[in-house]
Amino acid sequence: MKIIAADYIYTPKGFLTGHGVAFAETIKEIAPVKTLQQKYPDAQLIETHKDSVLYPGFINTHVHLEFSSNRTTLTYGSFIPWLNSVIEDRNELVKKCEPQTMLNACNELLRSGVTSFGAISSFGLELEACIKAPQRVVFFNELIGSNPQTIDVIYADFKERIKASSMHAENRIIPAIAIHAPYSVHPIALRHAITLAKENEYVLCAHLLESQAERSWLDTSDGEFQAFFETNFNQSAPLTTAKEFIEAFDGYPTHFTHCVQATKEELEHLYRQGHTIAHCPRSNRYLGCGRLAIENLKVPFSVATDGLSSNNTLSILDELRAALMLHHQGPLQQLASKLIRSVTSDAADILKLECGQIVPNKLADFTVITLPDTPKNLEEIPLWTILHTKEASQVYIQGEQYV
Ligand code: MCF
Ligand code: FE
């Protein structure tokens, strides 16, 4: 048993002061430090710096590790030029992306306080790095392909990758399914994959209505995607509408990424079906996709980094700072609190993980953030956390210290 003491502890009931947390692999008890020491006299006491805040470990629900070698190769600024550059440079980038490159990416996530993440895997190449990384990984095997001639082979490979990711529970790998997007997955394969997710209770995610180009293509078979599909796939119309695609997920809560171009009605439908959104503010900005209006959003959301294919860092703290600046309207402190919740308890609910809250029986995943000075008001701690923190000062996963 260990006891960690911090000046401030983030709990569902607000910030506690003068308290500690007793834990092994899971959280046993939260109480004044003296009380815990009397109750658990053999426990090791872990102290933290003055003005430290104990948070549940942060959770990044959406990242692509296989593109971690990208720095200055892919075209940013507009979605279709970016997609063309992915098609052109993908093989080179993936070849350059060695297991160590992906492990370094996991380490960047860890130093920013991320103890669990959702990895969208196009090829299964990051499995080795995810096994070695200390974090809990929801391993989203991606299904992508719209050509009926090749879809059987693609689907068989997809199932093989799911199988491979199912054999590493001891390394905290949780198999899951990612549908790439409405424009890139054949409707029949889509139905098979959703059925497979339901049968095995896999967490399910899909990119959805990210760009204006996707909106025009799905609605009216035109816009920038028209030339893209004509040139690359000899295809003149989409295989599904946005409505058909979204309704295929009815009855099975799914984690949709982006949704920047979703209509009010579509967002209402997502809300009623219990779906959630991964909000990637920097990715949306860098790919010219616009801003998700989170101030009016009823659908629960997480803030996530996406991959280095559409970002400059994988630090969740950088992402939270970007979110704070991008969503410039509304009360600042309330937004900061909401953003912290979006990478802790809300993200844990989304990925169906037993962590994300400092309450008894949850997994002992913690991120310690040290503020530069004493906060004047407890309610402002989330804001000071986001504004002042470059790296976590300590990180624990299932009771073990990794930073
Ligand atoms: O989320 C971003 C932008 N939207 C779509 N896809 C990706 C993103 N980052 C990486 N991707 C991957 C995706 O998983 O790029 C490929 C897919 O394998 C794009 S389609 C050639
Ligand atoms: Fe993505």
Side-chain angles (χ1 to χ4, degrees), residues 126-133 135-139 164-176:
E126 69 279 72
L127 185 58
E128 184 186 329
C130 292
I131 290 169
K132 283 191 188 147
Q135 287 107 329
R136 186 171 301 101
V137 182
V138 177
F139 199 89
S165 66
S166 305
M167 302 199 284
H168 304 282
E170 76 284 8
N171 296 105
R172 298 191 271 258
I173 308 282
I174 302 159

Side-chain angles (χ1 to χ4, degrees), residues 9-317:
I9 300 178
Y10 177 85
T11 77
K13 290 185 188 145
F15 287 97
L16 296 177
T17 56
H19 279 60
V21 178
F23 66 96
E25 280 203 7
T26 57
I27 295 170
K28 300 295 172 209
E29 194 171 343
I30 302 130
V33 180
K34 286 248 150 58
T35 313
L36 291 176
Q37 284 185 299
Q38 280 162 7
K39 196 158 169 191
Y40 307 102
D42 297 331
Q44 172 201 348
L45 179 68
I46 302 162
E47 298 193 272
T48 56
H49 280 115
K50 184 177 171 299
D51 302 319
S52 287
V53 190
L54 184 70
Y55 284 104
F58 298 148
I59 302 164
N60 185 1
T61 65
H62 185 99
V63 55
H64 303 253
L65 295 175
E66 286 163 319
F67 294 87
S68 295
S69 65
N70 177 59
R71 286 294 182 281
T72 54
T73 301
L74 298 177
T75 306
Y76 284 9
S78 181
F79 190 74
I80 295 294
W82 173 83
L83 197 55
N84 279 320
S85 73
V86 171
I87 303 239
E88 189 177 324
D89 297 312
R90 186 171 44 187
N91 290 345
E92 270 307 298
L93 284 173
V94 167
K95 214 161 67 197
K96 245 186 22 189
C97 192
E98 292 173 1
Q100 190 56 46
T101 314
M102 294 187 265
L103 205 50
N104 293 346
C106 297
N107 199 34
E108 186 186 8
L109 289 164
L110 187 71
R111 282 184 279 110
S112 76
V114 170
T115 53
S116 299
F117 60 84
I120 317 304
S121 173
S122 309
F123 313 103
L125 303 173
E126 69 279 72
L127 185 58
E128 184 186 329
C130 292
I131 290 169
K132 283 191 188 147
Q135 287 107 329
R136 186 171 301 101
V137 182
V138 177
F139 199 89
F140 284 107
N141 296 284
E142 183 179 67
L143 178 64
I144 178 169
S146 53
N147 184 346
Q149 257 110 59
T150 52
I151 197 68
D152 287 349
V153 176
I154 284 173
Y155 200 84
D157 170 69
F158 162 70
K159 285 198 15 193
E160 279 305 311
R161 287 184 282 120
I162 296 178
K163 207 161 129 197
S165 66
S166 305
M167 302 199 284
H168 304 282
E170 76 284 8
N171 296 105
R172 298 191 271 258
I173 308 282
I174 302 159
I177 291 180
I179 305 296
H180 178 248
Y183 54 84
S184 61
V185 177
H186 196 280
I188 297 174
L190 170 69
R191 282 182 196 278
H192 284 302
I194 295 174
T195 304
L196 192 62
K198 286 180 182 165
E199 284 168 359
N200 295 278
E201 295 183 25
Y202 292 137
V203 180
L204 185 58
C205 77
H207 293 100
L208 177 66
L209 292 164
E210 178 177 10
S211 61
Q212 183 54 52
E214 178 178 346
R215 181 85 262 175
S216 306
W217 175 245
L218 297 178
D219 289 352
T220 45
S221 316
D222 60 13
E224 284 181 277
F225 257 123
Q226 195 180 20
F228 175 87
F229 272 103
E230 204 66 70
T231 313
N232 294 302
F233 303 103
N234 196 23
Q235 192 186 322
S236 60
L239 298 173
T240 181
T241 63
K243 189 172 191 296
E244 286 162 352
F245 182 81
I246 292 170
E247 288 179 356
F249 296 86
D250 281 4
Y252 196 71
T254 298
H255 192 37
F256 289 105
T257 308
H258 306 309
C259 300
V260 177
Q261 303 297 334
T263 62
K264 251 184 167 166
E265 292 70 32
E266 286 162 343
L267 291 172
E268 183 62 31
H269 185 84
L270 298 188
Y271 171 70
R272 276 190 273 109
Q273 288 292 328
H275 299 313
T276 58
I277 293 176
H279 170 47
C280 306
R282 285 188 292 172
S283 172
N284 295 158
R285 174 69 183 100
Y286 299 159
L287 303 192
C289 292
R291 185 185 79 90
L292 179 72
I294 58 169
E295 63 280 7
N296 305 322
L297 196 63
K298 284 199 289 180
V299 186
F301 70 90
S302 60
V303 167
T305 58
D306 222 340
L308 288 170
S309 28
S310 57
N311 214 334
N312 55 319
T313 77
L314 293 182
S315 161
I316 198 72
L317 293 159

